[in-house]
Amino acid sequence: TKPKPTSKPTATTKPDNQTDGTKAEWAYKKFPIREIILGSNDPAKKYKLQVQLTNIAAAIKTTKLTDYFFTVKDKKLCKKLKNHKEYLEQVKKNPKLKGHYSLLNPVNFDGGKIHPFATRRITFYIDSREVHIDLSGPFWRLTNVRKDKDGTNTAATFTCTIYRNSKPFVRLLKTYTIRPKSTNPADRCYSIDVKLEVINLSKQKVKFSLWQFAATGVPREDIQSDNRMIAYGHIEGGEGFKVETLSLKDLGKMELLTASLENLRYLGKSDSSDAGLWIGQINKFFAALAYIIPQDASSLSAPLARANFFTAALQETPTSRTFLSGMTFGPFEINASQNKSIHIDFFVGPKKRKLFNTTPLYAKLHYKKTLRFGSCCTFAPLTLGMMWLMDLFSKITLGNYGMAIILLVVLVRIALHPLTRKGQVSMSRMQKLAPEMAKIREKYADDKLSLIHISE
C-alpha cells in the first residue's frame, strides 16, 4: 500500500553561497506528521515487538515489548484478561497500570525531542564546502507499507527528496522491517531491520555523510541507583572481542550535546584495526544494540560503512542526565544514478543469556557480555550457574518465581551444609574450651609473657 499525506506538503529551503559568488538553493518538503505501527504487543499474535514509527526524522517513537510489563500488576491483569484490547482500556483508565514495557522513547533536546534511531542530518561536500541539511523534522513521507496475512504491518519505508536549484539532487529511503516469532533462533524476532539508502538523482558525482542516532530513552529501572550504560562492541587486537561500557558517571564531565551536534565522545570506527561493530544502551535487564551488517557475509565488521561510533550527554530532568548513542557514516562518493546502502540490525529486547547464546548472530557479537552482575557475586560463572538454576526451577514451578527462589535457597543450603556443619563443630569445640581458657587467663593475669605463649 502507498499512504498519501493528509494535506499538501510545504517546502523548506536553505540558501547556499557558492564559491563563484552565485547562490544555490536547497529545498525539501515538510509533510504532516504521520505515525505507523509495526508488529503487535497482543500476546495472541505472533510478534515480540510493537514498533511505533514517525516521519519525524524517519525515526522510532516507541518500542513496546510484548512479553514484558512495567509492573507485576500489569502482567497479571494482561494474563487474566483474554481480550488484549480490554487490557489496554484498563491501562487508560487506571493510573496504577503502566502497560507494556517501552524500551525506546524520545528524549528532550534543544526545545524539542530526539527520537530513537532518528536520521538527524546529511552533509554534502561541494567545492571544499560543507552543506548541512537538517533532517530532524517531518521531512519524510511514508511511501510504502507491507503487511502479513493477518493485516499486521511488518515493514514501512520513508522517503525524503532533496532538491538543489529546483532540480532533484538526492533521495533518501529508510525502511524498517520486523519478523514474527519463530522456533528458529536465527530469525531474530527481537531485531528491527533498518535499511538506509541514498540515491543520486543528479548528473554529477555526489559526496556526502550521514548522522544517524541509535538507542535513546532507555528507562531507568532502579530508584536508588542508575544502572543505564552505553555499550560498545568492537574487535580487539584484530582477533579478540571486547565490550566496553560507559556509565552516566563516566559521562558526567561531558558537555551537553548542542544543536550543531557538538560535544560528542567518539568510541571507535568500523574501518580501523580494532573495528567497531555495534553500539547501544543497556540497563539492568534490557538492551538496545545497533549492529552494522557487512556486505561480506563471512565477516563481522563493515569497513565500507565508514562508521564512527559516538555517544553524547543530554539533560533528562533538571537533576539528572541521560545519554544517546549513534553513528556517522561516510563520507561517500556516488556517481550519477548510483546509490549507497547501509543495513543495520537493531536488537531491542531482554538481556537473556539463553537468547544471546542460541541466536547465532547475537552469539557472534558477544551480546552476553552486556550482562552485568554488579556486586552480587565474586565470580561471573557462579552467577550464570545460579541464573540457569533459577530458570530451571521457574519451569518446574510453572512460572512461579517465588517458589523458584525457595527451591534455589534450599539447594544452596544443602550444597553448603558440609561447610556450615564444620564451622558449627569448630565453634562448639571453642565454646567447650572457653571456661578452661578463662581459668588460665585468671591464673596468669600478672604474667603477660606466659599468656602470649599460651595464646600462640
Side-chain angles (χ1 to χ4, degrees):
T1 60
K2 294 185 177 181
K4 296 180 180 179
T6 56
S7 61
K8 187 177 180 180
T10 58
T12 299
T13 60
K14 177 183 176 67
D16 173 23
N17 294 321
Q18 301 179 104
T19 54
D20 60 2
T22 62
K23 287 187 176 182
E25 187 175 79
W26 298 84
Y28 46 107
K29 296 177 181 178
K30 184 176 182 180
F31 296 91
I33 294 176
R34 291 289 307 276
E35 295 179 358
I36 186 171
I37 290 177
L38 304 185
S40 172
N41 56 21
D42 186 345
K45 294 193 175 183
K46 52 186 179 181
Y47 294 93
K48 292 286 188 181
L49 302 171
Q50 177 185 278
V51 184
Q52 185 177 7
L53 303 175
T54 174
N55 69 331
I56 298 175
I60 297 171
K61 188 172 182 180
T62 61
T63 300
K64 297 182 184 294
L65 306 182
T66 303
D67 299 330
Y68 297 89
F69 301 82
F70 274 109
T71 69
V72 175
K73 189 174 182 180
D74 278 284
K75 182 178 180 179
K76 289 182 177 179
L77 181 61
C78 186
K79 190 175 182 180
K80 179 181 177 181
L81 298 174
K82 295 182 179 179
N83 190 324
H84 188 251
K85 290 183 178 179
E86 185 179 349
Y87 163 69
L88 296 179
E89 288 297 324
Q90 292 289 332
V91 172
K92 292 179 181 178
K93 296 176 183 178
N94 189 346
K96 292 184 179 180
L97 297 173
K98 304 299 181 183
H100 290 270
Y101 190 81
S102 182
L103 183 53
L104 297 174
N105 303 278
V107 291
N108 296 324
F109 174 69
D110 193 35
K113 292 183 181 296
I114 289 180
H115 290 80
F117 233 83
T119 301
R120 182 73 185 187
R121 187 171 78 187
I122 185 169
T123 298
F124 296 110
Y125 302 90
I126 299 175
D127 299 330
S128 301
R129 294 174 298 112
E130 296 182 3
V131 179
H132 303 300
I133 303 295
D134 179 19
L135 301 175
S136 60
F139 306 126
W140 302 73
R141 185 164 63 95
L142 181 60
T143 54
N144 189 45
V145 178
R146 294 202 304 269
K147 300 177 180 289
D148 64 11
K149 294 179 181 179
D150 298 332
T152 303
N153 299 326
T154 60
T157 300
F158 295 94
T159 302
C160 175
T161 302
I162 298 173
Y163 298 82
R164 186 167 185 253
N165 292 329
S166 302
K167 295 180 180 179
F169 191 67
V170 299
R171 176 170 294 137
L172 293 90
L173 302 175
K174 190 174 184 182
T175 302
Y176 293 90
T177 306
I178 65 169
R179 301 181 182 86
K181 291 184 285 188
S182 170
T183 55
N184 183 0
D187 287 343
R188 296 175 281 131
C189 56
Y190 277 108
S191 282
I192 304 169
D193 281 345
V194 185
K195 181 181 179 181
L196 273 167
E197 187 175 7
V198 179
I199 304 172
N200 185 355
L201 302 177
S202 71
K203 296 181 180 180
Q204 64 188 68
K205 184 180 291 186
V206 172
K207 185 177 181 180
F208 69 94
S209 61
L210 283 170
W211 292 72
Q212 174 66 52
F213 291 133
T216 68
V218 172
R220 175 176 178 168
E221 294 188 317
D222 196 325
I223 297 176
Q224 296 181 344
S225 60
D226 196 337
N227 295 296
R228 293 174 296 179
M229 292 183 176
I230 287 289
Y232 168 62
H234 64 99
I235 295 172
E236 185 180 30
E239 296 180 359
F241 197 94
K242 186 176 182 180
V243 173
E244 297 182 25
T245 56
L246 292 172
S247 67
L248 287 171
K249 290 183 179 179
D250 296 325
L251 298 177
K253 295 181 179 180
M254 282 185 61
E255 295 294 330
L256 295 176
L257 182 67
T258 66
S260 58
L261 301 183
E262 295 175 343
N263 299 330
L264 302 175
R265 176 180 291 187
Y266 288 97
L267 303 177
K269 297 182 177 182
S270 65
D271 53 351
S272 66
S273 57
D274 294 336
L277 303 185
W278 53 262
I279 192 170
Q281 291 188 41
I282 61 174
N283 59 20
K284 187 183 293 185
F285 302 113
F286 299 93
L289 310 172
Y291 163 61
I292 305 171
I293 301 174
Q295 291 180 323
D296 181 2
S298 64
S299 173
L300 282 177
S301 61
L304 296 181
R306 298 181 186 176
N308 205 339
F309 299 86
F310 66 82
T311 184
L314 297 171
Q315 197 70 36
E316 183 177 37
T317 69
T319 58
S320 69
R321 285 185 168 192
T322 185
F323 42 8
L324 58 81
S325 57
M327 300 153 284
T328 63
F329 298 107
F332 305 111
E333 285 188 346
I334 52 176
N335 293 321
S337 302
Q338 290 188 342
N339 69 310
K340 175 65 181 178
S341 297
I342 298 169
H343 295 255
I344 299 172
D345 179 276
F346 192 26
F347 170 82
V348 183
K351 296 195 300 181
K352 297 184 71 173
R353 184 169 58 96
K354 183 179 179 181
L355 175 65
F356 290 159
N357 284 339
T358 58
T359 306
L361 179 63
Y362 303 161
K364 289 180 182 179
L365 297 174
H366 296 264
Y367 282 174
K368 65 181 179 181
K369 290 186 178 182
T370 62
L371 295 168
R372 289 290 178 266
F373 307 113
S375 57
C376 64
C377 291
T378 305
F379 304 105
L382 179 60
T383 304
L384 292 172
M386 299 284 276
M387 291 170 63
W388 179 83
L389 285 171
M390 178 69 80
D391 286 338
L392 177 63
F393 289 151
S394 69
K395 293 177 182 177
I396 295 173
T397 59
L398 302 178
N400 190 326
Y401 275 90
M403 290 299 300
I405 291 171
I406 292 173
L407 289 176
L408 184 61
V409 171
V410 171
L411 180 62
V412 171
R413 287 186 176 274
I414 292 173
L416 296 179
H417 177 69
L419 293 175
T420 304
R421 185 175 182 278
K422 186 175 181 179
Q424 290 174 341
V425 170
S426 298
M427 188 180 296
S428 177
R429 289 174 179 173
M430 290 299 295
Q431 288 176 346
K432 290 179 180 180
L433 289 174
E436 299 299 325
M437 291 295 294
K439 290 179 181 179
I440 292 173
R441 288 193 182 93
E442 184 179 353
K443 182 177 180 179
Y444 295 99
D446 298 327
D447 190 351
K448 303 297 183 183
L449 185 60
S450 297
L451 281 174
I452 292 172
H453 288 300
I454 292 170
S455 300
E456 293 175 347

